């Protein structure tokens, strides 16, 4: 599987790159002399800036990102069109590659059509029931040990603490070993790679964020590369070992570089997006402590019925799942998803030419009042079975959709439920300051995180 599968039947050669003049029939941003300032302003408050654009131009508008022109499509219908991609109109590869090609090339998210199908099917072996049971046991032990180290009744910054814990958990679940002396270097490598994804300077020039990100990738490639021979042909319950020994439909093993690229991407997704999601959920619970009481009651019920949380009864944490979903509605871990149009198409009476850079924006579509009454209010009951009935399937898309739905979605649900079961049983979380809005408290790009680290106290009750 070292040779990429060709998708030439869908991806045309010499795809044009439309500019302002090609998109001037679509409402939206005007030309400016210094587009860099526009980009910096957007990154300072992407949610507010996106809302302003929708208010000014509607749900289809022309935009400029780091000097490049594209079109944003907003709303559940747009999400379905682009993410479900029924007619194979859109390329993930050509959408994400300009952003991630130097950092996470050849990750599953950057593959299209038949190539993506083959690699995804090969990787699913790592997320089947029996491996997931093993991950549960590893996470259970790791979360317990990790939380025992956290101080009680003393203020600390939650974000760096949970980031460190999720990195440790990713090591045990994904690699099957605790981090060694390289732990800090590995953590820094992933941080640098993610930060570089939205760097304004896109070339790895000395002293730039992109250079640090490229150096981080080189370090991780070397790290995974030297570990692969230790896993080939050997049984292991961790994700890395299973990927090293996974075979495709023809019985072929993944090539070394394929494994390196997939592991780089999977580790980033498991580490950074989970860190962001747990932080968002804790922010919501700290701001709405009455929901902590409700989740503790749910935890107590599981204790009473089963004695402990297990892989088989974790599905009973229905309220916890609703809170998690509402947190991801307000603060999606991937705030927007880029694609590129392979052919011209029409959406809401706008003709959008082939080659156009397309963006769907979950930050805004997750707040559209036609799908979410009183959208700024934190209300996990939106996700009860009764209240979800009839809602557009693509109104809520924090994990993407269609063939590219997040491969590790169920792993994420499991890890988040296990963490809050352990954290909230017998404890409450108290914010050390008045919490404001998502816009005031979070940096949204490249992956949302609290601006001040989210200082909190864990108090016994």
């Amino acid at each position: 599987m070292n040779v990429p599968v060709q998708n030439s039947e869908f991806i045309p050669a010499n795809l044009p790159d439309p500019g302002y003049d090609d998109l001037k029939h679509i409402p939206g941003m005007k030309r400016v002399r210094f587009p860099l300032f526009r980009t910096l302003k957007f990154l300072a408050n992407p949610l507010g800036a996106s809302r302003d654009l929708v208010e000014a131009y509607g749900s289809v508008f022309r935009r400029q990102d780091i000097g490049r022109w594209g079109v944003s499509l907003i709303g559940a219908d747009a999400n379905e069109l682009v993410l479900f991609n029924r007619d194979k109109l859109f390329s993930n590869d050509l959408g994400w590659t300009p952003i991630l090609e130097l950092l996470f090339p050849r990750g599953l998210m950057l593959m299209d059509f038949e190539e993506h199908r083959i690699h995804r099917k090969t990787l699913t072996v790592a997320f089947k029931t029996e491996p997931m049971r093993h991950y549960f046991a590893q996470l259970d032990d790791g979360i317990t040990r990790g939380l025992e180290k956290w101080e009680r009744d003393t203020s600390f910054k939650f974000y760096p603490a949970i980031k460190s814990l999720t990195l440790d958990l990713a090591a045990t679940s994904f690699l099957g070993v605790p981090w060694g002396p390289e732990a800090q270097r590995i953590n820094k490598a992933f941080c640098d790679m993610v930060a570089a994804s939205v760097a304004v300077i896109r070339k790895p020039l000395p002293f730039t964020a992109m250079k640090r990100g490229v150096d981080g990738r080189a370090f991780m490639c070397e790290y995974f590369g030297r570990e692969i021979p230790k896993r080939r042909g050997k049984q292991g319950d961790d994700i890395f070992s299973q990927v090293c020994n996974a075979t495709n439909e023809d019985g072929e093993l993944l090539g070394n570089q394929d494994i390196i690229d997939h592991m780089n991407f999977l580790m980033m997704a498991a580490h950074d997006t989970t860190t962001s999601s747990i932080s968002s959920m804790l922010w919501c619970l700290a701001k709405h402590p009455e929901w902590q009481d409700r989740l503790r009651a749910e935890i107590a019920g599981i204790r009473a019925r089963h004695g402990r949380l297990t892989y088989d009864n974790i599905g009973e944490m229905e309220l916890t799942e609703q809170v998690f979903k509402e947190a991801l509605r307000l603060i999606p871990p991937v705030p927007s998803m880029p694609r590129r149009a392979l052919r011209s198409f029409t959406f809401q009476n706008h003709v959008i030419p082939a080659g156009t850079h397309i963006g769907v924006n979950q930050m805004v579509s997750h707040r559209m009042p036609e799908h979410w009454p009183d959208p700024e209010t934190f209300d996990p009951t939106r996700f009860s079975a009764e209240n979800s009935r009839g809602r557009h399937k693509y109104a809520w898309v924090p994990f993407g959709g269609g063939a590219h739905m997040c491969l590790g979605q169920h792993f994420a649900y499991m890890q988040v439920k296990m963490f809050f079961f352990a954290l909230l049983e017998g404890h409450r979380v108290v914010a050390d300051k008045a919490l404001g809005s998502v816009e005031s408290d979070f940096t949204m790009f490249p992956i949302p995180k609290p601006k001040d680290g989210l200082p909190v106290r864990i108090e016994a009750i």
Side-chain angles (χ1 to χ4, degrees), residues 149-449:
K149 299 176 184 177
W150 289 11
E151 294 188 25
R152 302 297 188 264
D153 302 313
T154 301
S155 179
F156 70 99
K157 291 188 176 182
F158 180 81
Y159 184 82
I162 190 60
K163 187 172 180 61
S164 176
L165 177 55
T166 56
L167 185 63
D168 287 342
L169 296 175
T172 55
S173 299
F174 278 64
L175 300 183
V177 295
W179 289 123
E182 294 173 302
Q184 291 303 314
R185 182 66 184 87
I186 290 170
N187 188 28
K188 184 178 186 303
F190 278 112
C191 290
D192 288 345
M193 291 159 73
V194 172
S197 67
V198 292
V200 174
I201 299 173
R202 304 306 298 169
K203 295 184 181 297
L205 301 175
F207 309 111
T208 63
M210 184 59 75
K211 179 62 166 64
R212 291 189 292 273
V214 169
D215 289 346
R217 170 175 168 76
F219 176 84
M220 292 309 305
C221 287
E222 192 277 332
Y223 176 84
F224 287 123
R226 71 172 183 263
E227 291 291 323
I228 290 172
K230 303 175 185 178
R231 309 300 178 101
R232 292 283 199 190
K234 298 179 182 178
Q235 185 175 0
D237 293 316
D238 57 278
I239 291 175
F240 189 21
S241 294
Q242 294 188 57
V243 170
C244 285
N245 293 290
T247 57
N248 67 4
E249 296 164 329
D250 298 322
E252 300 171 334
L253 292 166
L254 289 165
N256 282 13
Q257 191 59 51
D258 286 329
I259 294 171
I260 289 170
D261 291 338
H262 285 312
M263 288 305 301
N264 259 327
F265 181 77
L266 288 172
M267 285 290 291
M268 180 276 293
H271 174 214
D272 284 291
T273 59
T274 303
T275 297
S276 174
S277 299
I278 291 176
S279 297
S280 299
M281 182 167 166
L282 187 110
W283 180 83
C284 292
L285 288 171
K287 192 172 181 180
H288 304 278
E290 69 277 8
W291 274 95
Q292 294 186 45
D293 296 333
R294 296 181 69 170
L295 297 194
R296 269 189 291 274
E298 180 174 74
I299 291 167
I302 291 173
R303 282 289 190 198
R305 290 189 298 274
H306 306 290
R308 62 190 181 95
L309 184 68
T310 68
Y311 181 78
D312 293 316
N313 63 41
I314 197 170
E316 296 178 24
M317 296 184 69
E318 295 179 0
L319 282 180
T320 305
E321 183 167 321
Q322 290 174 24
V323 173
F324 183 45
K325 287 181 173 180
E326 178 70 342
L328 297 192
R329 182 186 71 83
L330 293 168
I331 313 172
V334 182
S336 64
M337 296 181 187
R339 299 289 190 269
R340 198 164 175 202
L342 299 176
R343 303 187 300 281
S344 175
F345 68 99
T346 301
F347 182 71
Q348 294 184 2
N349 297 320
H350 296 283
V351 177
I352 300 171
T356 299
H357 296 273
I358 301 295
V360 295
N361 188 316
Q362 299 91 288
M363 293 184 298
V364 177
S365 63
H366 283 186
R367 288 173 161 79
M368 297 183 76
E370 54 264 46
H371 304 299
W372 310 103
D374 197 10
E376 298 304 318
T377 298
F378 177 74
D379 180 12
T381 64
R382 301 175 195 275
F383 291 95
S384 68
E386 179 182 1
N387 292 335
S388 296
R389 194 174 298 119
R391 183 181 298 134
H392 196 299
K393 185 178 178 180
Y394 281 79
W396 184 80
V397 289
F399 294 101
H404 280 85
M405 178 75 78
C406 175
L407 184 64
Q409 177 179 354
H410 296 299
F411 181 91
Y413 275 112
M414 182 175 73
Q415 183 170 343
V416 168
K417 289 178 179 179
M418 294 177 72
F419 173 79
F420 281 99
F421 189 101
L423 177 68
L424 294 179
E425 187 175 32
H427 296 89
R428 62 170 166 257
V429 179
V430 180
D432 268 1
K433 67 164 194 175
L435 299 177
S437 65
V438 172
E439 291 169 87
S440 65
D441 287 355
F442 278 80
T443 298
M444 293 300 289
F445 276 89
I447 295 175
K449 67 176 183 179

Side-chain angles (χ1 to χ4, degrees), residues 79-88 92 108 111 113 116-117 120 337 339 393-394 396-407 409:
N79 293 341
E80 182 173 18
L81 173 73
V82 177
L83 300 180
F84 188 59
N85 202 12
R86 177 184 293 105
D87 298 319
K88 295 182 169 58
N92 272 54
L108 193 64
M111 293 181 172
F113 310 128
H116 171 262
R117 186 193 69 79
R120 184 183 178 95
M337 296 181 187
R339 299 289 190 269
K393 185 178 178 180
Y394 281 79
W396 184 80
V397 289
F399 294 101
H404 280 85
M405 178 75 78
C406 175
L407 184 64
Q409 177 179 354

